[in-house]
């Protein structure tokens, strides 16, 4: 068993809950960026989720992530959230299916990172 698995599970649960809550609140709000309006639903959930994950996981496991964590995790999380959101807005997924797909994608990515980091 991976030693940090309980801390990872707790951090993941809190992070995904926080990110889903921010997604519900941000909704259709946009921010002007360059010549386009950037929906906050694309930007805020990955930031909030990763910040909550880092805070909880670091506190309980004593393993704090550095710059490499943010450089890899933030774009990956944005792609997962954005992909689920785009499929939902396109009508291919319901809201529940999109959230389930985002959760499954984050769980798979997190477990892959956790097991890769625990190899001797």
């Amino acid at each position: 068993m991976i030693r940090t698995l309980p801390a990872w599970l707790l951090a993941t649960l809190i992070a995904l809950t926080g990110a889903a809550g921010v997604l519900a609140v941000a909704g259709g709000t946009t921010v002007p960026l360059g010549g386009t309006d950037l929906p906050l639903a694309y930007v805020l959930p990955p930031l909030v989720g990763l910040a909550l994950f880092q805070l909880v996981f670091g506190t309980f496991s004593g393993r704090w992530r550095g710059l490499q964590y943010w450089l890899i995790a933030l774009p990956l999380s944005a792609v997962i959230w954005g992909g689920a959101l785009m499929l939902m807005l396109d009508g291919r997924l319901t809201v529940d299916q999109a959230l389930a797909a985002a959760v499954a994608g984050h769980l798979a990515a997190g477990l892959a990172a956790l097991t890769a980091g625990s190899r001797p």
Side-chain angles (χ1 to χ4, degrees):
M1 182 172 150
I2 302 169
R3 185 173 48 89
T4 56
L5 187 61
W8 180 83
L9 287 172
L10 178 63
T12 300
L13 176 68
I14 291 171
L16 288 172
T17 303
V22 168
L23 179 63
V25 171
T29 307
T30 59
V31 174
L33 179 69
T36 64
D37 288 334
L38 179 68
L40 286 179
Y42 287 152
V43 178
L44 286 181
L47 284 173
V48 170
L50 292 172
L52 285 172
F53 177 84
Q54 174 60 25
L55 182 64
V56 174
F57 184 72
T59 300
F60 286 103
S61 71
R63 295 173 61 184
W64 295 94
R65 302 294 181 213
L67 181 62
Q68 183 180 6
Y69 165 78
W70 291 99
L71 292 176
I72 294 171
L74 188 57
L76 181 61
S77 182
V79 166
I80 293 170
W81 277 109
L85 188 61
M86 288 174 59
L87 288 172
M88 182 190 72
L89 293 175
D90 193 35
R92 296 180 186 186
L93 297 178
T94 65
V95 174
D96 294 338
Q97 290 171 332
L99 283 175
V103 167
H106 281 92
L107 287 175
L111 281 175
L114 189 62
T115 56
S118 67
R119 291 184 186 145

